[in-house]
Amino acid sequence: MNIIETKKLTKYYGKDRGIVDVDLSVEEGEVFGFVGPNGAGKSTTIRTLLSLIYPTSGSATIFGKDVIEHGPEIKQNIGYLPADVHYYDSMKVKSLLNYSASFYDKDCTKRMEQLVKIMDLDVNRKISDLSLGNKKKVGIVQGLLHEPKLIILDEPTSGLDPLMQQNFFNLIEEENQKGATIFFSSHILGEVQKLCDRVAIIKDGKIIKVEKVADLMRNSYTKFRIETKTDLKQEDFNGESINNFVSKKGTTTFLFKGDINVIISKVSELDLISLRIVEPDLEEIFMHYYRDEDADA
Amino acid sequence: MPMLNIYVHELKQYRISTAIWVAVLVLMSVVYISIWPTFESAAEATREIIENFPPAFKEIIGFSNMAFTSLESFFSLIFMFILVAGGVQAMHLGTAIVSKESRDQTSDFLIAKPVSRTTILSSKLLAAITLLILTNAIYISSTFLIMSLFSEQEIVSQTMFMIMLTMFFLQLFFLALGFLVATVRPKIKSVIAVSLPVVFAFYFISILDNVIGDTAVSYITPFKYFDFEYIIEHNFYELSYLITGAVFIVVALVTSYIFYVKKDV
């Protein structure tokens, strides 16, 4: 049984496009990444799954049950961390967490205390006095304290310092090993690469690809940035698989896919001022997907 | 079915503002009733002055010829203003308790919990009604106490109680209206900017009705549902208004539920 399944899920905000015909299936025990640029429809999809908003057409099920009809029931086993964390300003962290726990049919005290420790959270402070990072921590604790079977994370790491990010990733991996399914939206490729088994790529409200992370990385490009005294031409690298070639004022950038040894030997023949080889950012990987899409069409 | 945790949470969220409202209402009673002894001793002279007021003026400020003959009728003069204040309290509470979550963006937190929207709204409604019952209970008992301190006359407690209880009915009307406005309107930036003008608009409609004396208009505004002279005379409310108010409350609340359940947050 798929934990999450959407069928032609579509949401328009009036005339504005949210998502169009989104078909997703997330299997039990998977860490599923949901990536795309801002405004692509990641949050819209997630908010529809939680019935915070209602689809214009199409349907979604979680644990095999319709998300609207059985909303309250399935949410007993969902933990959700929203992209923007907002809680009741006048409350103390402790009261907020207790309030959060009071919605679930089980005793969450023990797990709550563990999580507070892991996230290094001061529970006696008022919500209004917390920094964004600390609010995010509150969000993580309130989302995980009932040990949910499905964890939905919307851009979870923004606002967390690197150390806390690591704690958080460890936590998510632990939950996953205990059997939780993770659905995780991000626009940072590094995160997705580190955690996820599969990813869905969304752009302009449509899913353009669902792929294993391993395949995505294997097939992806490497970005070269070369500084030379004179401008280069794409023909200088003739025969190699090169994209997005730009050469201006002695700086040349391009994306390369293929045998790294070949391109390195070609570059070594140049009179270089500097050379940087970097992972392309997500946008650039998307570019290559769009091209593939166009080529297929 | 309402849920106890949300109910308790809402009570806590609004306990301070409710306490302030109660204090203001009681203070209005204290100030007003404390001047009663002066009128009581000069009742005859005051009544002659009132009788000589132009009739239109008396209509507008709601003075009747009966005023100043008894504490009940004296009190009912000022009570209209207490009603306006109570109306603002209820309208404000109703609008705030529903719209605050979306304004503070805490709806995501609440609706992602395993609880239906109907339950959320019912819990909020029950909490708001509880706060209004508390407000009225404290207000009515304090006012009785204050009266016993300042008046030498015997107070007709049942009539007094009936007059003061109209505030609770009026507050239910505005609470329901607040729920309706908060669920139907997509986003409310400032609660007071909605509640204050609405309540005052209803109040001015009631003054307009005083002047033109048109009974049809009087069904629009809850400030006209309770005629204190009628209550003093009959010891009961006018049924047709009571029914109108009840129908409005039910319709407003049902509409609120329909909108709230279907709303995108």
Side-chain angles (χ1 to χ4, degrees):
Chain A
M1 183 189 70
N2 286 323
I3 295 291
I4 300 176
E5 186 145 2
T6 68
K7 284 192 185 121
K8 295 217 168 296
L9 197 63
T10 300
K11 174 68 182 176
Y12 278 89
Y13 300 99
K15 278 183 182 165
D16 296 331
R17 180 271 308 158
I19 49 173
V20 182
D21 291 339
V22 166
D23 289 311
L24 279 178
S25 49
V26 178
E27 290 155 24
E28 188 163 9
E30 227 180 346
V31 182
F32 192 92
F34 195 40
V35 292
N38 293 327
K42 299 191 294 288
S43 289
T44 299
T45 309
I46 286 175
R47 297 173 70 79
T48 313
L49 290 176
L50 290 156
S51 59
L52 293 168
I53 55 175
Y54 295 108
T56 311
S57 62
S59 65
T61 59
I62 290 180
F63 311 128
K65 287 172 178 156
D66 186 79
V67 293
I68 295 167
E69 207 178 320
H70 298 277
E73 184 191 336
I74 60 179
K75 285 176 201 169
Q76 278 288 349
N77 285 305
I78 299 178
Y80 168 54
L81 175 62
D84 297 312
V85 280
H86 295 280
Y87 302 109
Y88 307 93
D89 276 346
S90 59
M91 288 176 98
K92 279 190 173 176
V93 172
K94 200 179 201 150
S95 333
L96 188 274
L97 293 179
N98 285 329
Y99 184 41
S100 181
S102 68
F103 285 93
Y104 301 101
D105 291 339
K106 55 174 152 188
D107 181 21
C108 309
T109 327
K110 214 177 126 200
R111 185 61 182 154
M112 190 166 91
E113 282 165 5
Q114 288 172 348
L115 289 166
V116 164
K117 219 169 187 180
I118 294 169
M119 294 317 292
D120 189 24
L121 189 63
D122 181 356
V123 294
N124 290 314
R125 292 180 65 183
K126 257 176 99 173
I127 299 281
S128 56
D129 297 336
L130 298 180
S131 65
L132 174 64
N134 277 318
K135 271 188 196 164
K136 205 92 191 188
K137 288 187 199 173
V138 174
I140 292 165
V141 177
Q142 67 82 26
L144 298 181
L145 51 77
H146 54 298
E147 298 173 86
K149 291 195 186 107
L150 170 63
I151 301 171
I152 298 180
L153 308 162
D154 196 355
E155 308 271 356
T157 54
S158 62
L160 285 183
D161 62 57
L163 192 69
M164 272 306 143
Q165 283 192 18
Q166 198 48 54
N167 281 355
F168 172 67
F169 287 143
N170 292 343
L171 200 59
I172 294 300
E173 269 172 356
E174 248 172 62
E175 291 295 323
N176 181 236
Q177 273 153 22
K178 283 196 287 183
T181 306
I182 321 280
F183 186 78
F184 168 12
S185 92
S186 179
H187 61 260
I188 305 165
L189 188 62
E191 288 182 357
V192 175
Q193 195 186 336
K194 222 185 285 182
L195 283 177
C196 299
D197 306 317
R198 284 197 306 153
V199 286
I201 295 170
I202 186 167
K203 166 78 180 174
D204 294 337
K206 288 180 183 153
I207 302 286
I208 55 175
K209 196 128 197 162
V210 179
E211 200 170 16
K212 284 189 177 151
V213 171
D215 293 343
L216 179 78
M217 297 319 293
R218 196 175 311 127
N219 292 332
S220 89
Y221 288 72
T222 314
K223 187 177 180 182
F224 279 74
R225 189 189 159 91
I226 301 170
E227 235 182 295
T228 47
K229 284 187 188 120
T230 53
D231 282 356
L232 302 172
K233 292 193 195 80
Q234 186 153 0
E235 288 77 57
D236 295 340
F237 302 95
N238 210 5
E240 300 308 319
S241 174
I242 277 172
N243 276 300
N244 292 22
F245 188 92
V246 181
S247 189
K248 230 195 234 167
K249 293 180 185 166
T251 303
T252 308
T253 57
F254 58 84
L255 297 177
F256 169 78
K257 185 165 139 182
D259 187 347
I260 193 81
N261 296 302
V262 178
I263 190 79
I264 290 292
S265 68
K266 286 226 171 178
V267 170
S268 71
E269 290 164 17
L270 300 169
D271 185 11
L272 296 175
I273 296 171
S274 74
L275 165 66
R276 290 174 68 190
I277 302 170
V278 290
E279 291 265 293
D281 57 37
L282 209 49
E283 289 286 336
E284 285 163 319
I285 289 192
F286 288 147
M287 300 286 281
H288 124 82
Y289 274 109
Y290 304 146
R291 228 184 320 277
D292 287 358
E293 289 282 297
D294 292 344
D296 292 347
Chain B
M1 273 297 286
M3 247 170 101
L4 188 65
N5 59 344
I6 305 178
Y7 173 75
V8 172
H9 171 81
E10 296 298 344
L11 288 185
K12 281 186 189 162
Q13 294 276 307
Y14 292 94
R15 62 186 162 183
I16 293 171
S17 63
T18 304
I20 294 171
W21 275 107
V22 172
V24 168
L25 293 173
V26 172
L27 198 70
M28 284 169 83
S29 274
V30 173
V31 170
Y32 188 68
I33 296 167
S34 65
I35 59 172
W36 165 245
T38 325
F39 287 99
E40 194 175 24
S41 53
E44 198 55 38
T46 328
R47 195 163 59 242
E48 269 170 31
I49 296 170
I50 302 274
E51 269 167 15
N52 290 325
F53 278 176
F57 178 70
K58 281 195 280 188
E59 290 296 340
I60 290 171
I61 56 172
F63 276 26
S64 74
N65 291 336
M66 275 174 63
F68 303 105
T69 52
S70 69
L71 180 53
E72 287 81 7
S73 52
F74 175 76
F75 181 73
S76 62
L77 286 181
I78 186 68
F79 194 66
M80 189 48 92
F81 299 104
I82 289 175
L83 279 186
V84 174
V88 173
Q89 180 203 0
M91 177 87 190
H92 193 266
L93 178 63
T95 315
I97 208 165
V98 176
S99 69
K100 198 168 189 297
E101 306 264 2
S102 79
R103 206 170 34 260
D104 294 350
Q105 296 173 272
T106 49
S107 316
D108 276 23
F109 168 84
L110 190 56
I111 295 178
K113 297 294 169 205
V115 54
S116 73
R117 296 199 190 187
T118 316
T119 304
I120 294 174
L121 205 61
S122 303
S123 313
K124 283 174 181 284
L125 180 62
L126 207 64
I129 292 174
T130 308
L131 291 168
L132 292 182
I133 290 175
L134 282 173
T135 303
N136 283 277
I138 298 170
Y139 174 73
I140 291 173
S141 47
S142 316
T143 304
F144 271 125
L145 185 73
I146 298 159
M147 283 181 176
S148 69
L149 293 175
F150 283 102
S151 173
E152 288 162 12
Q153 277 182 26
E154 190 76 22
I155 310 157
V156 186
S157 331
Q158 200 199 336
T159 310
M160 240 8 255
F161 182 75
M162 298 278 296
I163 291 174
M164 286 195 274
L165 196 64
T166 60
M167 180 163 85
F168 181 61
F169 294 127
L170 183 110
Q171 286 191 319
L172 287 182
F173 180 98
F174 281 111
L175 181 72
L177 187 61
F179 264 61
L180 183 67
V181 171
T183 47
V184 170
R185 277 189 52 165
K187 205 132 206 178
I188 294 170
K189 283 198 182 115
S190 159
V191 176
I192 200 76
V194 173
S195 51
L196 212 55
V198 169
V199 175
F200 273 93
F202 277 105
Y203 177 61
F204 287 125
I205 294 173
S206 77
I207 293 176
L208 188 75
D209 185 66
N210 284 350
V211 177
I212 59 174
D214 181 2
T215 47
V217 176
S218 66
Y219 283 94
I220 299 171
T221 168
F223 289 108
K224 291 296 287 183
Y225 288 4
F226 304 104
D227 180 344
F228 302 128
E229 280 180 46
Y230 183 91
I231 297 171
I232 291 169
E233 251 175 75
H234 299 86
N235 249 331
F236 200 66
Y237 306 126
E238 287 162 280
L239 215 54
S240 61
Y241 287 110
L242 220 49
I243 292 167
T244 311
V247 168
F248 172 81
I249 290 167
V250 170
V251 171
L253 287 178
V254 168
T255 315
S256 306
Y257 274 88
I258 294 170
F259 271 86
Y260 190 71
V261 165
K262 295 202 167 155
K263 203 173 184 172
D264 282 350
V265 301

